[in-house]
Amino acid sequence: MLILSITQVAYSRDPRYIAHKAEAYLKSSGIGDTFFVGPEAEFFIFDSIRYDQNEHEGYYHIDASEGRWNTGRDEGPNQGYKLRYKEGYYPVPPSDKLQDIRSEMLLTLQQIGVPMEVHHHEVASGGQSEIGMRFAPLVKMADSMMKFKYVIKNVAYLNGKTATFMPKPIWNDNGSGMHVHLSIWKDNRNLFAGDGYGGMSQTALYAIGGILKHAPALLAFTNPSTNSYKRLVPGFEAPVNLAYSRRNRSASVRIPMYHSSEKAKRFEFRCPDATSNPYLAFSAIMMAALDGIQNKIDPGDPMDKDIYELSASELLSIRQTPASLREALTALKNDHQFLLKGDVFTQDVIDTWIEYKLAKEVKPLDLRPHPWEFMMYYDI
């Protein structure tokens, strides 16, 4: 954590210090002693990226050798095997052209002490990938997440490519999220294992209730970019519905069905993405879960129907995630008392975060014309 050299006092806005306070608060609450986190960070590996925005133009240009848009490009020769949109999940080489570079990324992370588990291509065309880390306690996992992003970007660069954790760089294809698996333990016992729905304990269900209740405010930390909300839209397996389920991939909380052992019992919060600061995001998620446990917040009934087949009237009964960063920041302004418990987050941190995000990200984007506006309005 950051210690001010003159006062020798920890800096209250230091995200890592906030995460340390979160771990201390968990222990002081008497509920548990360890908050285990397992993020699944997705990202894109491109061959090149060009972009600019100034007074007379605004554009971006993405290229990737496996991108579907390159099926007709003269590559001298074009050998094909371009991944179709939304069909990039688990192909093998030569369709998956990133097997070797992902392996190098994983091995490099292992060499610097980050325990790794798996890697694979993800759903989107054009280089979407995922590399899985082994779960760890909050601060340790946040540290690993920082190392993870550093290694991914640098290994890509050394291989003549570029990696991005931007949630939605490609229109009309799946975006990149960071599903966060979580559980709370006490005295080496998993408090989330039980005989309730999906093998969850009542404690776990209350934790789900807390996350669903506070999700709109949570997203100000877990999905803190304007681009985050280009991903959180219906139709791309995006977790836009504030519901929980064992099966629905569009539910914001999902209980994995394929883990039966007590130690593996957990649920995943599927909304976050890797533009988030992991110290702040993981701490905020834990605080929402604890608030649910402390106040016995009922998550309601699970959503086991296929959400995409629900009628319009049925959909109206399901709360959805904020549609923009502005909405998420407004939700945080109106709902943050649960974050202030134990002085984990301070009012100053909350206010500063909201003010900065509005001034430096939301309002500047509001001021700039979008290329699609020219398509819609130029000839009116």
Side-chain angles (χ1 to χ4, degrees):
M1 70 187 71
L2 179 62
I3 305 295
L4 298 180
S5 58
I6 298 176
T7 63
Q8 293 298 298
V9 174
Y11 181 44
S12 63
R13 295 179 182 177
D14 173 16
R16 197 167 188 270
Y17 175 48
I18 291 171
H20 274 291
K21 288 193 293 181
E23 288 191 321
Y25 176 68
L26 172 62
K27 294 176 182 178
S28 69
S29 72
I31 293 173
D33 51 41
T34 308
F35 180 66
F36 280 116
V37 191
E40 299 177 352
E42 298 166 340
F43 55 95
F44 280 87
I45 302 173
F46 297 138
D47 292 337
S48 71
I49 176 71
R50 295 187 290 110
Y51 54 88
D52 201 1
Q53 176 81 55
N54 52 54
E55 286 75 8
H56 73 99
E57 63 183 353
Y59 66 88
Y60 64 88
H61 186 275
I62 296 167
D63 205 7
S65 60
E66 66 174 34
R68 179 65 174 174
W69 57 88
N70 281 324
T71 55
R73 183 171 68 175
D74 183 1
E75 297 180 340
N78 188 325
Q79 293 178 293
Y81 302 107
K82 313 296 186 184
L83 295 172
R84 287 181 284 271
Y85 298 111
K86 302 186 188 181
E87 295 185 22
Y89 195 67
Y90 266 89
V92 296
S95 294
D96 179 2
K97 296 175 174 58
L98 303 169
Q99 176 79 20
D100 290 343
I101 190 173
R102 287 197 311 271
S103 295
E104 183 180 346
M105 290 169 173
L106 184 147
L107 292 172
T108 302
L109 284 159
Q110 285 185 329
Q111 289 169 7
I112 66 169
V114 179
M116 306 303 296
E117 292 193 332
V118 296
H119 75 78
H120 58 85
H121 203 286
E122 261 297 343
V123 176
S125 179
Q128 192 181 34
S129 298
E130 179 180 316
I131 301 178
M133 293 180 284
R134 183 170 177 77
F135 66 91
L138 194 159
V139 172
K140 184 175 181 181
M141 179 50 74
D143 289 343
S144 293
M145 191 68 217
M146 298 298 287
K147 297 173 185 176
F148 180 88
K149 294 178 72 173
Y150 181 83
V151 167
I152 297 305
K153 293 175 184 177
N154 278 279
V155 171
Y157 185 79
L158 290 172
N159 281 271
K161 297 184 182 293
T162 176
T164 181
F165 291 89
M166 188 176 178
K168 190 77 169 184
I170 298 178
W171 171 72
N172 205 33
D173 208 343
N174 284 45
S176 294
M178 185 179 70
H179 306 155
V180 178
H181 294 248
L182 58 129
S183 60
I184 296 175
W185 290 55
K186 185 175 184 179
D187 298 329
N188 293 316
R189 183 173 66 88
N190 185 358
L191 301 182
F192 281 9
D195 56 5
Y197 175 81
M200 294 283 99
S201 66
Q202 186 61 58
T203 297
L205 293 174
Y206 286 146
I208 292 172
I211 286 177
L212 292 178
K213 176 183 177 180
H214 297 299
L218 276 182
L219 264 61
F221 287 112
T222 63
N223 302 72
S225 73
T226 57
N227 187 253
S228 297
Y229 301 87
K230 302 290 195 298
R231 165 182 167 254
L232 292 176
V233 294
F236 298 91
E237 291 189 352
V240 296
N241 299 288
L242 295 179
Y244 72 103
S245 175
R246 288 180 296 185
R247 305 184 67 179
N248 279 313
R249 299 177 70 85
S250 62
S252 58
V253 173
R254 186 168 73 124
I255 300 168
M257 299 175 61
Y258 45 82
H259 295 291
S260 57
S261 72
E262 180 176 310
K263 288 186 176 181
K265 285 299 178 182
R266 62 193 188 271
F267 63 82
E268 61 175 312
F269 183 38
R270 294 174 61 83
C271 294
D273 63 60
T275 60
S276 59
N277 180 304
Y279 301 104
L280 299 179
F282 300 160
S283 297
I285 292 170
M286 190 202 77
M287 294 300 288
L290 286 179
D291 188 66
I293 296 168
Q294 291 164 332
N295 292 293
K296 298 183 178 180
I297 298 175
D298 184 357
D301 295 329
M303 178 54 66
D304 283 334
K305 293 183 180 179
D306 186 338
I307 291 179
Y308 294 114
E309 294 183 1
L310 296 180
S311 66
S313 59
E314 288 176 309
L315 282 172
L316 287 175
S317 65
I318 303 176
R319 294 165 61 230
Q320 292 201 327
T321 54
S324 67
L325 179 57
R326 187 190 298 275
E327 285 187 24
L329 293 169
T330 299
L332 177 62
K333 182 178 181 180
N334 296 328
D335 177 27
H336 59 260
Q337 291 301 313
F338 70 100
L339 296 171
L340 303 180
K341 293 179 181 179
D343 199 40
V344 174
F345 288 78
T346 64
Q347 189 66 50
D348 170 70
V349 167
I350 300 294
D351 293 342
T352 301
W353 185 262
I354 293 172
E355 292 169 7
Y356 180 90
K357 287 288 178 178
L358 286 172
K360 299 296 184 179
E361 299 179 32
V362 174
K363 292 179 180 178
L365 186 63
D366 288 344
L367 293 173
R368 287 159 171 80
H370 189 284
W372 192 247
E373 291 177 310
F374 287 85
M375 296 290 290
M376 293 190 292
Y377 307 129
Y378 185 78
D379 59 351
I380 288 179

